[in-house]
Amino acid sequence: QVQLVESGGGLVQPGGSLKLSCAASGSIFRIDDMAWHRQGSGKQRELVARINIGDSTNYADSVKGRFTISRDNTKNTVYLQMNNLKPEDTAVYYCYADIQRSRYFARRDYWGQGTQVTVSS
């Protein structure tokens, strides 16, 4: 079985920084896209940032210049460095990965359980 486990959420003041981590574990042959999504209270889940296996990235307009996504393929881990945080960044952040468990399995989507980020003074 494959699991994604997030860490690094918490409470931070406006203008502060946090770094989220998400480690994939289990039987893994290949990980293609990895991403972070978020869902604020009463809002739909939205894409925050995505990184592919070649390290190409894309970001939501609302976080460009403030957030940086990266990955360590030796650790099957994706990170989200969040700087200059704003109250509107408050949400549950979910890790996503497109994983192939073996050469005999099809790729499928996996999600983490979510980690709360609260930006407040």
Side-chain angles (χ1 to χ4, degrees):
Q1 191 58 284
V2 172
Q3 282 189 316
L4 300 182
V5 179
E6 298 123 333
S7 60
L11 173 64
V12 64
Q13 292 188 341
S17 298
L18 281 175
K19 186 173 184 177
L20 305 182
S21 300
C22 172
S25 63
S27 176
I28 296 172
F29 173 69
R30 175 188 171 100
I31 303 178
D32 286 286
D33 286 2
M34 303 186 84
W36 290 94
H37 291 69
R38 68 186 180 188
Q39 186 166 16
S41 180
K43 298 181 180 180
Q44 287 190 328
R45 190 176 297 192
E46 62 175 355
L47 174 67
V48 176
R50 186 199 323 262
I51 184 167
N52 69 14
I53 196 169
D55 286 339
S56 293
T57 59
N58 62 285
Y59 297 90
D61 287 344
S62 59
V63 307
K64 282 180 181 176
R66 300 189 297 122
F67 290 11
T68 302
I69 189 170
S70 60
R71 63 193 284 173
D72 184 339
N73 294 324
T74 66
K75 298 179 179 179
N76 290 335
T77 298
V78 62
Y79 305 96
L80 186 68
Q81 176 67 48
M82 304 184 293
N83 298 327
N84 190 22
L85 282 159
K86 304 176 180 181
E88 51 264 42
D89 295 318
T90 295
V92 178
Y93 284 69
Y94 296 91
C95 172
Y96 160 89
D98 177 3
I99 296 175
Q100 185 178 6
R101 292 175 58 193
S102 83
R103 67 178 71 250
Y104 306 109
F105 280 76
R107 290 159 50 186
R108 57 155 286 191
D109 299 339
Y110 289 87
W111 292 88
Q113 79 286 356
T115 185
Q116 177 70 45
V117 171
T118 302
V119 184
S120 175
S121 55

